[in-house]
């Protein structure tokens, strides 16, 4: 139990909490991070580690993602985190998908992105691609890290290089600056940022309840090394009807109607495809989306079959053997991509409500810490 007073307490050591600790510590603040688990075990280590710019909702989220990508590019080498892949390849297997990509490329979000013919895609994607492939969107903006190792490395970097204190196996159950009451005693911190992920009840339950948040459960797989190397993460046509940067474009309506008719079960299970590859060659593949106030722990096998079927449709190859299966849960809201609430002048609640925390957290943290701590230099973007 650290006796000294802190400038900032951060509740939650997922990527959102770590990003706030990073920005505050870099600005010279004395920071303590509090988490109930001995090490990160939530959404932040269960995801693809896909730091996505292209496809984020137009405007604010897209700008936050660009900034977050830039911070990851700085912090990853400093923290010993390997960038496993860069960029994105997204297949188009119908004229409707081609039209959505063309419309996307004509917006400001298409900056730096381009169209690949089917032959160019195959060259970039180690020969992958089904016979009906018409071409692909290529984006240079993305980074991909292996979250299960990257998040602990980021925490170690904060602790060892930036002097951040960590209180693990500690529940924070009352925040009233300058005191944060925990299961291990009272922490003295002038300000507190609460980054609780999908814990909507332990702190400020009434405030969070007012925003009618729900949860989304996702199914994920690790597949065996296919014997090839993908320089970029891979997505498929279904993503054009799900990621808001594409799906909000009017041209996406025709594609969505076609895909709903052709692949009704994929839509029932909220399936789209991301294929990410790590240093061991294994493929992190997903995902499905099931929404509820409290998603049941029972992940339907049908969703997994749909994910693997889309892998086959997008790559033209049978999926390699399944090595691991897991589910993850994140917070969702119908009306916002993130929630920042101020229950007290010295407290902020920060919850990413769109399944984009790896991609937006550093940008969000700069905004929150810049305003809370009155740091002019951090008040971007
Ligand atoms: C399967 C899956 C795939 C995803 N893929 C991507 C992706 O590729 N790219 C992307 O950008 N995003 C992705 N996301 C979303 C992203 O992972 C989340 O938005 C992000 O991890 C949320 O981070 P967080 O820190 O808010 O939550 P979490 O990682 O859940 O961390 C919250 C932490 O707070 C702690 N906590 C809560 N309340 C208290 C308390 N009172 N006291 C002590 N500790 C407390 C918990 O123990 C937990 O460790 C994915 C999510 C999932 C589940």
């Amino acid at each position: 139990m650290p006796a000294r007073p802190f400038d900032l307490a951060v509740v939650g050591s997922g990527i959102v909490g770590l990003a706030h600790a990073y920005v505050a510590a870099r600005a010279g603040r004395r920071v303590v991070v509090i988490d109930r688990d001995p090490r990160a075990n939530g959404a932040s280590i269960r995801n693809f580690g896909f730091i996505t710019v292209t496809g984020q909702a137009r405007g604010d989220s897209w700008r936050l993602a660009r900034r977050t990508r830039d911070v990851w590019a700085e912090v990853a080498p400093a923290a010993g985190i390997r960038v496993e892949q860069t960029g994105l390849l997204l297949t188009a297997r119908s004229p409707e998908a081609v039209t959505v990509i063309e419309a996307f490329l004509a917006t400001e979000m298409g900056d730096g992105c381009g169209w690949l013919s089917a032959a160019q895609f195959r060259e970039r994607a180690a020969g992958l691609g089904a016979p009906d492939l018409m071409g692909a969107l290529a984006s240079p903006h993305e980074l991909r890290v292996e979250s299960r190792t990257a998040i602990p490395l980021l925490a170690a970097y904060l602790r060892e290089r930036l002097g951040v204190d960590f209180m693990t196996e500690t529940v924070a159950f009352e925040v009233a600056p300058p005191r944060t009451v925990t299961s291990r005693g009272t922490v003295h911190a002038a300000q507190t940022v609460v980054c609780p992920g999908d814990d909507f009840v332990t702190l400020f339950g009434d405030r969070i309840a007012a925003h009618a948040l729900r949860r989304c459960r996702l199914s994920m797989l690790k597949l065996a090394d296919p014997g090839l190397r993908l320089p970029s993460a891979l997505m498929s046509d279904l993503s054009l009807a799900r990621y808001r940067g594409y799906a909000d474009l009017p041209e996406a309506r025709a594609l969505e109607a076609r895909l709903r008719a052709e692949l009704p079960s994929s839509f029932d299970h909220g399936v789209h495809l991301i294929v990410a590859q790590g240093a061991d060659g294994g493929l992190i593949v997903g995902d499905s989306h099931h929404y509820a106030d409290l998603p049941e722990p029972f992940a339907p096998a049908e969703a997994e079959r749909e994910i693997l079927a889309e892998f086959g449709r997008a790559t033209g190859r049978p999926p390699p053997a399944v090595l691991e299966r897991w589910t993850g849960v994140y917070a969702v809201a119908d009306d916002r991509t993130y929630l920042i609430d101020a229950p007290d002048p010295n407290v902020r609640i920060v919850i990413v409500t769109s399944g984009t925390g790896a991609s937006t957290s550093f940008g969000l943290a700069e905004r929150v810490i810049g305003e809370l701590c009155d740091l002019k230099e951090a008040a971007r973007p």
Side-chain angles (χ1 to χ4, degrees):
M1 175 78 191
R4 63 193 178 118
F6 293 92
D7 297 312
L8 182 75
V10 176
V11 179
S13 68
I15 186 58
V16 178
L18 295 182
H20 284 79
Y22 172 76
V23 173
R26 284 284 302 258
R29 298 307 195 260
R30 290 163 303 167
V31 181
V32 61
V33 176
I34 301 164
D35 201 294
R36 63 160 55 86
D37 287 331
R39 58 196 158 273
N41 195 43
S44 301
I45 62 146
R46 298 174 189 223
N47 62 28
F48 295 93
F50 191 29
I51 297 142
T52 321
V53 173
T54 297
Q56 297 293 350
R58 199 169 190 170
D60 189 33
S61 292
W62 184 73
R63 284 192 296 275
L64 281 172
R66 285 173 75 98
R67 177 61 194 153
T68 297
R69 184 270 325 271
D70 290 348
V71 178
W72 270 110
E74 286 166 24
V75 79
I81 297 168
R82 245 175 71 102
V83 173
E84 306 283 348
Q85 293 175 295
T86 56
L88 156 73
L89 296 172
L90 192 157
T91 63
R93 304 194 308 271
S94 70
E96 290 86 349
V98 174
T99 301
V100 177
I101 291 174
E102 286 171 349
F104 175 83
L105 288 172
T107 71
E108 74 287 358
M109 299 181 290
D111 178 38
C113 302
W115 171 256
L116 299 181
S117 68
Q120 289 169 322
F121 172 89
R122 290 194 175 91
E123 203 173 307
R124 292 267 286 269
L128 296 181
D132 62 351
L133 182 71
M134 299 181 74
L137 170 68
S139 161
H141 300 306
E142 286 61 36
L143 300 177
R144 199 256 147 182
V145 299
E146 192 77 70
S147 289
R148 63 180 80 181
T149 52
I151 296 298
L153 283 168
L154 180 56
Y157 172 71
L158 293 178
R159 187 170 49 241
E160 291 158 19
R161 303 289 292 280
L162 298 186
V164 173
D165 275 66
F166 279 77
M167 291 174 64
T168 54
E169 297 176 85
T170 305
V171 181
F173 51 79
E174 188 189 340
V175 173
R179 296 180 319 121
T180 291
V181 183
T182 80
S183 52
R184 289 178 188 255
T186 298
V187 173
H188 295 273
Q191 298 178 308
T192 301
V193 180
V194 178
C195 307
D198 73 321
D199 179 338
F200 305 151
V201 297
T202 308
L203 288 170
F204 302 107
D206 291 344
R207 299 283 299 206
I208 295 174
H211 297 284
L213 304 187
R214 291 177 301 139
R215 294 181 174 88
C216 178
R217 185 195 65 225
L218 301 87
S219 289
M220 300 282 287
L221 302 159
K222 181 169 181 178
L223 306 185
D225 182 353
L228 52 82
R229 289 295 173 267
L230 285 168
S232 304
L234 184 67
M235 295 170 84
S236 78
D237 305 46
L238 282 167
S239 307
L240 294 170
R242 169 160 282 278
Y243 267 50
R244 287 191 49 199
Y246 322 114
D248 287 352
L249 297 170
E251 289 81 359
R253 299 289 70 75
L255 174 65
E256 185 183 336
R258 177 180 179 136
L259 290 172
R260 273 187 189 280
E262 288 179 352
L263 304 169
S265 178
S266 287
F267 272 84
D268 288 349
H269 294 291
V271 165
H272 81 133
L273 184 73
I274 301 178
V275 180
Q277 192 168 36
D280 66 359
L283 303 177
I284 307 294
V285 175
D287 49 15
S288 58
H289 296 79
H290 294 98
Y291 299 90
D293 57 345
L294 181 63
E296 294 181 342
F298 315 112
E302 179 64 16
E304 179 177 315
R305 281 195 288 275
E306 289 298 331
I307 295 166
L308 293 173
E310 183 66 6
F311 180 98
R313 287 189 289 267
T315 65
R317 304 269 179 96
V322 177
L323 301 182
E324 294 176 347
R325 300 180 166 85
W326 66 97
T327 58
V329 172
Y330 59 66
V332 284
D334 292 333
D335 61 341
R336 62 185 72 225
T337 53
Y338 57 83
L339 167 68
I340 299 174
D341 192 11
D344 175 286
N346 287 310
V347 179
R348 296 294 178 274
I349 303 166
V350 185
I351 303 177
V352 174
T353 53
S354 50
T356 62
S359 309
T360 57
S361 52
F362 285 112
L364 269 178
E366 287 184 341
R367 190 176 290 176
V368 171
I369 296 295
E371 179 263 332
L372 182 64
C373 303
D374 196 21
L375 304 176
K376 299 289 178 279
E377 72 278 15
R380 298 194 244 173

